[in-house]
Amino acid sequence: MTIRVLLADDQALMRATFRTLIDSCEDMEVVGEACDGKEVVDLAHIHRPDVVLMDIRMPGTDGLTATAAIGKAPELSTTRVLVLTTYETEEYVARALHAGACGYLGKDATVDELFTAIRTVASGEPLLSSGATRSLITHFLTIRTSRDSPVPSGRLAHLTAREREVMALAAEGMSNDEIASACSISPLTVRTHIQRAMAKLEVRDRAQLVAVAYRSGLVQPPPPAR
């Protein structure tokens, strides 16, 4: 199956670069390009892409607003948004996930990481870069709301030892490949453990899994920087 990708970036050179890279893959094709948020939403309705490669800062309607609009459209329920940006701050990561983004990747990613991210998001799996995960950790440790109350540690009792181990490493910002290397298991097995942990803890995505890991005490926050 060919993954149909819609590009959204206000820089023509960036769009041209991404188009060249993506079109070089046998299992991907670019179906359209947008230079602002309004245009990407309009084109998403026309082309019904599998993945929207979304920049955040664009003139007019920004990428986060566009992501939310795509997520709310019933006819675009199978379209996944992969945010690709230079801004991996806790505010942007949290807002992107809240808007409905399925993945978050920094523009310093390698070509192989970009391709992997597109394939992962297209399959319906969430993806966060290590930088985005670390930013998300900072967000959950510094921004407290009524929903961020402590999670009883006993809630983790239903997890296996391996599931807790993988969950803890994910909460520390490690990618699936890095966790696989650390635990001497395959990335597919890592994904399985994470999915099972999410199901047992009744969380929607990896971001919520990270939050539970910290609020339950499974992982301790790093000491404050001096």
Side-chain angles (χ1 to χ4, degrees), residues 166-214:
V166 168
M167 178 180 173
L169 293 175
E172 291 175 2
M174 295 178 67
S175 67
N176 283 5
D177 287 343
E178 291 170 334
I179 296 173
S181 178
C183 297
S184 299
I185 55 179
S186 72
L188 180 59
T189 301
V190 172
R191 180 184 297 182
T192 299
H193 286 312
I194 288 178
Q195 289 175 336
R196 288 176 177 171
M198 288 168 54
K200 291 178 180 180
L201 295 172
E202 298 180 342
V203 299
R204 182 183 67 251
D205 52 36
R206 194 181 185 111
Q208 290 188 344
L209 192 70
V210 169
V212 171
Y214 277 89

Coordinates of all heavy atoms in Angstrom, one line a residue, residues 166-214:
V166 N 9.8 -1.4 30.3 CA 9.7 -0.7 29.0 C 9.0 0.7 29.2 O 9.4 1.7 28.6 CB 8.9 -1.5 28.0 CG1 8.5 -0.7 26.8 CG2 9.8 -2.7 27.6
M167 N 7.9 0.7 30.1 CA 7.2 1.9 30.3 C 8.1 3.0 31.0 O 8.1 4.2 30.6 CB 6.0 1.6 31.3 CG 5.2 2.8 31.7 SD 3.9 2.3 32.8 CE 3.2 3.9 33.3
A168 N 9.0 2.6 31.9 CA 9.9 3.5 32.5 C 10.9 4.1 31.6 O 11.2 5.3 31.6 CB 10.6 2.8 33.7
L169 N 11.4 3.2 30.7 CA 12.4 3.7 29.7 C 11.8 4.6 28.7 O 12.4 5.6 28.3 CB 13.0 2.5 29.0 CG 13.9 1.6 29.8 CD1 14.4 0.4 29.1 CD2 15.1 2.3 30.4
A170 N 10.5 4.4 28.3 CA 9.8 5.3 27.4 C 9.6 6.6 28.1 O 9.7 7.7 27.5 CB 8.5 4.7 27.0
A171 N 9.3 6.6 29.4 CA 9.1 7.8 30.2 C 10.4 8.6 30.3 O 10.3 9.9 30.5 CB 8.5 7.5 31.6
E172 N 11.5 8.0 30.2 CA 12.8 8.7 30.2 C 13.2 9.3 28.9 O 14.3 9.9 28.7 CB 13.9 7.7 30.8 CG 13.7 7.4 32.2 CD 14.7 6.4 32.7 OE1 15.6 6.0 31.9 OE2 14.7 6.0 33.9
G173 N 12.3 9.1 27.9 CA 12.6 9.7 26.6 C 13.2 8.8 25.6 O 13.6 9.3 24.5
M174 N 13.3 7.5 25.8 CA 14.0 6.6 24.9 C 13.0 6.2 23.8 O 11.8 6.0 24.0 CB 14.5 5.4 25.6 CG 15.6 5.7 26.6 SD 16.2 4.3 27.5 CE 17.0 3.3 26.2
S175 N 13.5 6.1 22.6 CA 12.7 5.6 21.5 C 12.5 4.1 21.6 O 13.2 3.4 22.3 CB 13.4 6.0 20.1 OG 14.6 5.3 20.0
N176 N 11.7 3.5 20.7 CA 11.5 2.1 20.7 C 12.8 1.4 20.4 O 13.1 0.3 21.0 CB 10.4 1.7 19.7 CG 9.0 2.0 20.3 OD1 8.9 2.6 21.4 ND2 8.0 1.6 19.5
D177 N 13.5 1.9 19.4 CA 14.8 1.3 19.0 C 15.8 1.3 20.2 O 16.5 0.3 20.4 CB 15.4 2.0 17.8 CG 14.6 1.6 16.5 OD1 13.9 0.6 16.5 OD2 14.8 2.4 15.5
E178 N 15.8 2.4 20.9 CA 16.8 2.5 22.0 C 16.4 1.6 23.2 O 17.2 1.0 23.8 CB 16.8 4.0 22.5 CG 17.5 5.0 21.5 CD 17.3 6.4 21.9 OE1 16.3 6.7 22.6 OE2 18.1 7.2 21.5
I179 N 15.1 1.5 23.4 CA 14.6 0.6 24.4 C 14.9 -0.9 24.0 O 15.3 -1.7 24.9 CB 13.1 0.7 24.6 CG1 12.7 2.1 25.2 CG2 12.5 -0.3 25.6 CD1 11.3 2.4 25.3
A180 N 14.7 -1.2 22.8 CA 15.0 -2.5 22.3 C 16.5 -2.9 22.5 O 16.8 -4.0 22.9 CB 14.7 -2.6 20.8
S181 N 17.3 -1.9 22.2 CA 18.8 -2.2 22.4 C 19.1 -2.3 23.9 O 19.9 -3.2 24.3 CB 19.6 -1.0 21.8 OG 21.0 -1.2 22.1
A182 N 18.5 -1.5 24.8 CA 18.8 -1.6 26.2 C 18.3 -2.9 26.8 O 18.9 -3.4 27.7 CB 18.2 -0.4 26.9
C183 N 17.2 -3.4 26.3 CA 16.5 -4.6 26.9 C 16.9 -5.9 26.1 O 16.4 -7.0 26.5 CB 15.0 -4.4 26.9 SG 14.5 -3.1 28.0
S184 N 17.6 -5.8 25.0 CA 18.0 -6.9 24.2 C 16.7 -7.6 23.6 O 16.6 -8.8 23.7 CB 18.9 -7.9 25.0 OG 20.1 -7.3 25.4
I185 N 15.8 -6.8 23.2 CA 14.6 -7.4 22.5 C 14.4 -6.6 21.2 O 15.1 -5.6 20.9 CB 13.3 -7.2 23.4 CG1 13.1 -5.8 23.9 CG2 13.5 -8.1 24.7 CD1 11.9 -5.5 24.8
S186 N 13.4 -7.0 20.4 CA 13.2 -6.4 19.2 C 12.3 -5.1 19.3 O 11.5 -5.1 20.3 CB 12.5 -7.3 18.2 OG 11.1 -7.6 18.6
P187 N 12.4 -4.1 18.4 CA 11.5 -3.0 18.5 C 10.0 -3.4 18.4 O 9.2 -2.7 19.1 CB 11.9 -2.2 17.2 CG 13.3 -2.5 17.0 CD 13.4 -4.0 17.4
L188 N 9.7 -4.4 17.7 CA 8.3 -4.9 17.6 C 7.8 -5.4 19.0 O 6.7 -5.1 19.4 CB 8.2 -6.0 16.6 CG 6.8 -6.6 16.5 CD1 5.8 -5.6 16.0 CD2 6.8 -7.8 15.5
T189 N 8.7 -6.1 19.7 CA 8.4 -6.5 21.1 C 8.2 -5.3 22.0 O 7.3 -5.3 22.9 CB 9.5 -7.5 21.6 OG1 9.6 -8.6 20.8 CG2 9.1 -7.9 23.0
V190 N 9.0 -4.3 21.9 CA 8.9 -3.1 22.6 C 7.5 -2.5 22.4 O 6.8 -2.1 23.3 CB 9.9 -2.1 22.3 CG1 9.7 -0.7 23.0 CG2 11.3 -2.6 22.7
R191 N 7.1 -2.4 21.1 CA 5.8 -1.8 20.8 C 4.7 -2.6 21.4 O 3.7 -2.0 21.9 CB 5.6 -1.8 19.3 CG 4.3 -1.2 18.8 CD 4.1 -1.2 17.3 NE 5.1 -0.4 16.6 CZ 5.1 -0.3 15.3 NH1 4.2 -0.9 14.5 NH2 6.1 0.5 14.7
T192 N 4.8 -3.9 21.4 CA 3.8 -4.8 22.0 C 3.7 -4.5 23.5 O 2.5 -4.4 24.0 CB 4.1 -6.3 21.8 OG1 4.2 -6.5 20.3 CG2 3.1 -7.2 22.4
H193 N 4.8 -4.4 24.2 CA 4.8 -4.2 25.6 C 4.1 -2.8 25.9 O 3.3 -2.7 26.9 CB 6.2 -4.2 26.2 CG 6.8 -5.6 26.4 ND1 6.1 -6.6 26.9 CD2 8.0 -6.1 26.0 CE1 6.8 -7.7 26.9 NE2 8.0 -7.4 26.4
I194 N 4.4 -1.8 25.1 CA 3.9 -0.5 25.3 C 2.4 -0.5 25.1 O 1.6 0.1 25.8 CB 4.5 0.6 24.4 CG1 6.0 0.8 24.9 CG2 3.7 1.9 24.4 CD1 6.8 1.8 24.1
Q195 N 1.9 -1.2 24.0 CA 0.5 -1.3 23.7 C -0.3 -2.0 24.8 O -1.4 -1.6 25.2 CB 0.3 -2.0 22.4 CG 0.7 -1.2 21.2 CD 0.6 -2.0 19.9 OE1 0.7 -3.2 19.9 NE2 0.5 -1.3 18.8
R196 N 0.3 -3.1 25.4 CA -0.3 -3.8 26.5 C -0.4 -3.0 27.7 O -1.4 -3.0 28.4 CB 0.4 -5.1 26.7 CG 0.3 -6.2 25.6 CD 1.1 -7.4 25.9 NE 0.9 -8.4 24.9 CZ 1.6 -9.5 24.7 NH1 2.6 -9.8 25.6 NH2 1.3 -10.4 23.8
A197 N 0.7 -2.2 28.0 CA 0.7 -1.3 29.2 C -0.4 -0.3 29.0 O -1.1 0.1 30.0 CB 2.0 -0.7 29.4
M198 N -0.5 0.3 27.8 CA -1.5 1.3 27.6 C -2.9 0.8 27.8 O -3.8 1.4 28.4 CB -1.4 1.9 26.2 CG -0.1 2.8 26.0 SD 0.2 3.2 24.3 CE -1.3 3.8 23.7
A199 N -3.1 -0.5 27.3 CA -4.5 -1.1 27.4 C -4.8 -1.4 28.9 O -5.9 -1.1 29.3 CB -4.5 -2.4 26.6
K200 N -3.8 -1.9 29.6 CA -4.1 -2.2 31.0 C -4.3 -1.0 31.9 O -5.1 -1.0 32.8 CB -2.9 -3.0 31.6 CG -2.8 -4.4 31.0 CD -1.6 -5.1 31.6 CE -1.4 -6.6 31.0 NZ -0.2 -7.3 31.6
L201 N -3.6 0.1 31.5 CA -3.8 1.4 32.3 C -4.9 2.3 31.7 O -5.1 3.3 32.3 CB -2.4 2.1 32.3 CG -1.3 1.4 33.0 CD1 0.0 2.1 32.8 CD2 -1.6 1.3 34.5
E202 N -5.4 1.8 30.6 CA -6.6 2.6 30.0 C -6.1 4.0 29.7 O -6.8 5.0 30.0 CB -7.8 2.6 30.9 CG -8.3 1.2 31.2 CD -9.6 1.2 32.1 OE1 -9.8 2.2 32.8 OE2 -10.3 0.2 32.1
V203 N -5.0 4.1 29.0 CA -4.5 5.4 28.5 C -4.6 5.4 27.0 O -4.5 4.4 26.4 CB -3.1 5.8 29.0 CG1 -3.1 5.8 30.5 CG2 -2.1 4.8 28.5
R204 N -4.8 6.6 26.5 CA -5.0 6.8 25.0 C -3.8 6.6 24.2 O -3.8 6.1 23.1 CB -5.7 8.1 24.8 CG -6.0 8.4 23.3 CD -6.6 9.7 23.1 NE -5.7 10.8 23.3 CZ -5.7 11.6 24.4 NH1 -6.6 11.5 25.3 NH2 -4.8 12.6 24.5
D205 N -2.6 7.2 24.7 CA -1.4 7.2 23.9 C -0.2 7.2 24.7 O -0.2 7.1 25.9 CB -1.5 8.5 23.0 CG -1.7 9.8 23.7 OD1 -1.3 9.9 24.9 OD2 -2.5 10.6 23.2
R206 N 0.9 7.3 24.0 CA 2.2 7.2 24.7 C 2.4 8.4 25.7 O 3.1 8.3 26.7 CB 3.4 7.2 23.7 CG 4.7 6.8 24.2 CD 5.7 6.9 23.1 NE 7.1 6.4 23.4 CZ 7.6 5.3 23.0 NH1 6.9 4.5 22.2 NH2 8.8 4.9 23.4
A207 N 1.9 9.6 25.3 CA 2.0 10.8 26.1 C 1.3 10.5 27.5 O 1.9 10.9 28.5 CB 1.3 12.0 25.4
Q208 N 0.2 10.0 27.5 CA -0.5 9.7 28.7 C 0.2 8.6 29.5 O 0.3 8.6 30.8 CB -2.0 9.2 28.5 CG -2.9 10.4 28.0 CD -4.3 10.0 28.0 OE1 -4.6 8.8 28.0 NE2 -5.2 10.9 27.8
L209 N 0.8 7.7 28.8 CA 1.6 6.6 29.5 C 2.8 7.2 30.2 O 3.1 6.8 31.4 CB 2.1 5.6 28.5 CG 2.7 4.3 29.0 CD1 1.6 3.4 29.7 CD2 3.4 3.5 27.9
V210 N 3.4 8.2 29.6 CA 4.6 8.9 30.2 C 4.1 9.6 31.5 O 4.7 9.6 32.6 CB 5.2 9.9 29.3 CG1 6.2 10.9 30.0 CG2 5.9 9.2 28.1
A211 N 2.9 10.3 31.4 CA 2.4 11.0 32.5 C 2.1 10.1 33.7 O 2.4 10.4 34.9 CB 1.1 11.7 32.1
V212 N 1.5 8.9 33.4 CA 1.2 7.9 34.5 C 2.5 7.4 35.1 O 2.6 7.2 36.3 CB 0.4 6.7 33.9 CG1 0.3 5.6 35.0 CG2 -1.0 7.2 33.5
A213 N 3.5 7.2 34.3 CA 4.8 6.7 34.8 C 5.4 7.7 35.9 O 5.9 7.2 36.9 CB 5.8 6.6 33.7
Y214 N 5.3 9.0 35.7 CA 5.8 9.9 36.6 C 4.8 10.1 37.8 O 5.3 10.2 39.0 CB 6.1 11.3 35.9 CG 7.4 11.3 35.2 CD1 7.5 10.9 33.9 CD2 8.5 11.7 35.9 CE1 8.8 10.8 33.3 CE2 9.8 11.6 35.3 CZ 9.9 11.2 34.0 OH 11.1 11.2 33.4

